[in-house]
Amino acid sequence: RAPGAAEAVTGGVDARAAFAQRDYMTSNWTDDGQLPWLQERGVRLVRGQGRLTGERTVEVTAPDGSTETLRVRRGVILATGTRAAIPPIDGLRESRPWDNRDITSAKEVPGRLIVLGGGAIGCEMAQAYRRLGSDQVTVVEGMDRLLAREEPFASEEVRAAFEAEQITVLTGARMSAVQRSGDDGPVRATLDDGRQLEGDEILVAVGRRPTTADIGLDVVGLEPGRSVTVDDRMRAVGVPGEWLYAIGDCNGRALFTHMGKYHARIAADNILGKDITDRASSDILTRVTFTDPQVCAVGPTEAQARERGLNVRPLRYPTGGVPGAYVRGNGIAGTSQLLVDDDRRVVVGATFTGPDVQELLHSATVAIAAEVTLDQLAHAVPAFPTVSEVWLHMLEAYGI
C-alpha cells in the first residue's frame, strides 16, 4: 500500500522510492499547502523572526531586513518548538552529526549508522534505516535499557526485536569522543570504556532544547533559552496581565505534536473567554514509539504511579493471544497492560506493544479521561475478531 515498501514483498526495500513517498507526504518540506487554510479563516501570515519588545508587542524582522511591529489586544502565543540537544562530547559538534531533521530528510542510506540515544527517535530511526538498507546500525544508550521512560517489558521486547534484525544495542554505555575523517569521511566514536565504533553517519537523539533564546523573553522578565513555565491555561507564569501564552514543546510540559495541538486549543479557548484547563499533560499523556513492535502508552507507568502514591495493580495479556492477532499474520507477539487504581476501580494507565497496535491506545485514553469504572468497561464489548479483545482478558484477570 506504500510506494517503496511494497517492493519488500518480493525483494528488498526501494529506499529511493520510499524517500520520494516521504517527500510527497511532507509536501516536499514546504508549508504552502497550509496557506489556503489560513486565508479561509482570515488569518494573516507574517514571515520572519519574531521577538517580544514589550507588553502585547511583537517585532518581526523579515528576510529582507525590514521590520514590522505587531500590537495585540488579547494575547501573544509562543509556539517556537524545540531543537535537538547536542551533548558536550569532545568533537561531536565538529563531526557534523545528524539530528532528527537531518535523518528524516536524508536522500541516501548510510552503510553504517551510529545512533546516540535509545529513546523514541533513536529507536525509530535505528530500525527504519536498518530496514531501508544500512548494513550496520549501532544504538548507544547511557541508561540501562532502551525507552527508559516506558515499562521495562516494552524495553525488553524492542531490544529483542532489534537484536533479531542485527541492530547492535549498547546500553549503560557513554560516548566520550567523536571524530570525523575529512569533510565527508567516516565517523569514529569512542566510548568511556575504550571501545570504538565506526560509522558513515552519526545520529544524535538524546533530548530536546527549547527554541526560546532569541525571542525577547528577557524583555518580559523570563529567561531566554529556557522552557516557558505556564499554568494550566497555558499562560506564562511571572508575566503580569495574563496576555502571554506558550504552547507545545517550548513550555516543556509534553513534547509531542498532538500535545502541542491540545495546548493550542486550551490557549485559544482561554483567549476567547472560556475557562479550560490542561488535564492531559501530566495524567493522560499519550505516546507512541513507531518501532516494530510498536510501544503505545497513556498515563503513568507502574513505577511512576507508585511514586505518586497510587495503589495500582497491573493487568497483562499477550497481544498476540486473541483471534484478531492471527488475522494480521503468524507470530504476532507483544504485551497489553492496563494499570488499575484499586481504590477507585478505574484505569489510570495502559501500555500496548506489538505490530500496528497504535489504534488500541485511544480506547484506553477515553477510559482514563472519563474515569470509567471497570464494572462499566465490562459492558464495552469489542468486536470479533479484533485485537481489542485483549481488553476482555485483562478485565477477566481483575475478576470482572
Side-chain angles (χ1 to χ4, degrees):
R1 293 186 310 225
E7 289 79 356
V9 175
T10 55
V13 171
D14 184 343
R16 198 170 293 275
F19 287 154
Q21 173 70 1
R22 172 207 61 193
D23 293 344
Y24 165 75
M25 293 174 67
T26 57
S27 301
N28 290 301
W29 307 100
T30 71
D31 59 7
D32 293 346
Q34 300 300 311
L35 298 184
W37 185 90
L38 293 177
Q39 293 165 353
E40 290 168 4
R41 288 157 178 78
V43 178
R44 179 182 175 225
L45 173 65
V46 181
R47 293 193 183 274
Q49 171 66 49
R51 293 179 181 84
L52 298 168
T53 55
E55 182 175 344
R56 294 182 171 83
T57 305
V58 175
E59 183 180 85
V60 183
T61 302
D64 63 5
S66 61
T67 62
E68 179 179 356
T69 299
L70 306 175
R71 295 182 176 85
V72 303
R73 294 190 302 273
R74 295 285 186 89
V76 173
I77 300 177
L78 305 178
T80 55
T82 55
R83 55 183 171 79
I86 306 296
I89 295 172
D90 183 33
L92 177 60
R93 189 177 293 276
E94 293 75 16
S95 298
R96 300 179 304 284
W98 278 357
D99 61 16
N100 61 297
R101 293 194 179 198
D102 296 316
I103 196 165
T104 53
S105 61
K107 298 296 185 182
E108 302 292 337
V109 177
R112 301 171 299 172
L113 176 65
I114 300 171
V115 178
L116 178 57
I121 293 174
C123 286
E124 290 174 350
M125 292 298 100
Q127 191 176 49
Y129 271 76
R130 175 68 178 132
R131 293 184 173 190
L132 283 167
S134 289
D135 297 319
Q136 180 180 315
V137 177
T138 303
V139 180
V140 179
E141 168 56 45
M143 303 291 285
D144 61 358
R145 60 187 178 94
L146 299 174
L147 302 175
R149 296 182 180 181
E150 302 299 346
E151 295 285 6
F153 68 79
S155 302
E156 295 167 5
E157 292 176 16
V158 170
R159 179 169 190 149
F162 278 16
E163 292 175 345
E165 296 185 31
Q166 290 79 52
I167 297 171
T168 301
V169 178
L170 305 177
T171 53
R174 298 188 179 277
M175 200 171 287
S176 59
V178 179
Q179 183 179 16
R180 184 182 288 274
S181 176
D183 292 336
D184 299 307
V187 173
R188 175 173 294 175
T190 303
L191 305 185
D192 281 353
D193 60 9
R195 286 179 291 177
Q196 291 193 331
L197 309 172
E198 286 199 355
D200 299 300
E201 297 293 347
I202 181 170
L203 166 67
V204 177
V206 295
R208 312 288 300 171
R209 294 287 181 270
T211 312
T212 59
D214 192 26
I215 59 173
L217 290 185
D218 53 323
V219 174
V220 295
L222 302 180
E223 186 175 352
R226 303 291 296 273
S227 297
V228 178
T229 302
V230 296
D231 63 16
D232 287 341
R233 292 172 175 77
M234 299 298 127
R235 298 176 303 205
V237 174
V239 179
E242 300 181 348
W243 59 273
L244 185 63
Y245 295 75
I247 63 173
D249 284 13
C250 71
N251 69 25
R253 284 198 163 198
L255 278 61
F256 297 93
T257 299
H258 48 280
M259 296 308 295
K261 295 179 179 181
Y262 171 68
H263 294 168
R265 295 200 304 271
I266 291 173
D269 282 346
N270 278 279
I271 288 173
L272 293 172
K274 300 178 183 178
D275 185 16
I276 307 296
T277 58
D278 176 13
R279 281 187 57 209
S281 294
S282 59
D283 297 331
I284 323 172
L285 180 59
T286 54
R287 60 245 181 227
V288 179
T289 301
F290 289 95
T291 46
D292 182 9
Q294 288 182 350
V295 178
C296 310
V298 56
T301 62
E302 181 181 354
Q304 291 167 344
R306 295 193 188 283
E307 288 173 3
R308 298 179 188 179
L310 296 177
N311 178 27
V312 292
R313 186 197 310 186
L315 311 175
R316 292 182 187 170
Y317 194 78
T319 305
V322 293
Y326 300 121
V327 175
R328 298 188 176 196
N330 297 330
I332 301 297
T335 304
S336 295
Q337 172 182 284
L338 296 180
L339 203 58
V340 174
D341 181 345
D342 257 344
D343 296 335
R344 295 184 296 143
R345 292 173 64 87
V346 297
V347 179
V348 294
T351 299
F352 301 97
T353 66
D356 195 32
V357 293
Q358 76 276 6
E359 299 301 343
L360 292 176
L361 191 60
H362 196 58
S363 54
T365 305
V366 171
I368 296 170
E371 299 182 340
V372 182
T373 67
L374 297 187
D375 298 295
Q376 292 171 315
L377 285 174
H379 299 285
V381 182
F384 174 90
T386 64
V387 180
S388 294
E389 285 189 297
V390 295
W391 278 79
L392 295 178
H393 296 282
M394 290 185 288
L395 292 176
E396 287 173 358
Y398 194 82
I400 299 295

